[in-house]
Amino acid sequence: MKIGGFQKFSLIDYPGKISCIIFTQGCNFRCPWCYNPELVYPEFFVTPLKEEVIFEFLKRRRGKIEAVVITGGEPTIQPDLAEFIEKIKKMNYLVKLDTNGSNPPILKELIKNKLVDYIAMDIKAPPQKYFLLIGKDIDLSLIFESIKVIENSSIEYEFRTTFVPFLLSEDDILKIKKMVKDKGRHRIQRFYTNEYPKHK
Ligand code: SF4
């Protein structure tokens, strides 16, 4: 796993749980408004943190921290994500995955193997504007497939959209809400300009 950052404590990133956050390096999207460029553009990458450092921390904090949030960048592009999570699950932590929804087969696999307890997926835009918000073309069926995989699972989940004021309108938000079954599971995130890191 390429780990570009680690936050030892959070009360807000796993709903109702005390968590720590692992930030993976690398992303397959190029959202022009991204405020995690350090985790997206290889030229900004720092030397990755060793996995052992994280596992050592988790060993020491057992009983104090309840959950591990894996975010990015985009965690599902890491080839050894499942193996990494397996090790965390063996230590009895809850695991939340933040994803941009571009990789439904990996989501399916993680859910099937009970490796994730919570998934938060970003829905960046209504279909017509997706390319604009993620800075590239994408096969939108992947996004819809991820939404379906998550909705049909029995784990906790949420969908979220960062309201980027100069790229999205209120009408776009209404269109995004139509992409999910349960509007109550979709939330809007504030757009931050100078804060790092605030989202996946
Ligand atoms: S998916 Fe997230 S991390 Fe990747 S470019 Fe977009 S905002 Fe940045």
Side-chain angles (χ1 to χ4, degrees), residues 106-193:
I106 298 280
L107 297 183
K108 220 181 273 180
E109 200 62 21
L110 294 175
I111 292 168
K112 188 179 107 200
N113 294 325
K114 298 190 186 330
L115 291 175
V116 280
D117 303 281
Y118 198 117
I119 292 183
M121 176 182 152
D122 285 357
I123 303 179
K124 307 283 188 187
Q128 308 81 335
K129 278 193 170 177
Y130 232 87
F131 73 98
L132 194 63
L133 270 288
I134 68 166
K136 61 185 278 191
D137 279 327
I138 184 178
D139 175 359
L140 281 173
S141 68
L142 296 172
I143 300 297
F144 282 105
E145 176 68 14
S146 288
I147 293 174
K148 205 162 66 184
V149 166
I150 293 169
E151 286 180 331
N152 290 342
S153 75
S154 53
I155 65 168
E156 283 297 309
Y157 67 87
E158 67 186 38
F159 299 109
R160 48 200 198 175
T161 299
T162 302
F163 185 73
V164 189
F166 47 94
L167 292 175
L168 290 175
S169 65
E170 281 175 28
D171 189 46
D172 289 329
I173 297 297
L174 295 177
K175 287 182 187 150
I176 293 170
K177 286 200 176 282
K178 285 194 183 139
M179 293 166 71
V180 301
K181 268 193 213 157
D182 178 357
K183 291 178 186 35
R185 298 267 198 162
H186 175 254
R187 67 181 176 87
I188 313 293
Q189 299 191 131
R190 259 185 71 194
F191 174 64
Y192 295 86
T193 43

Side-chain angles (χ1 to χ4, degrees), residues 27 29-31 33-34 36 40 72-73 100 124 199-200:
C27 186
F29 285 4
R30 287 292 180 269
C31 308
W33 50 273
C34 177
N36 283 348
V40 175
N100 62 21
K124 307 283 188 187
H199 77 313
K200 75 146 280 341

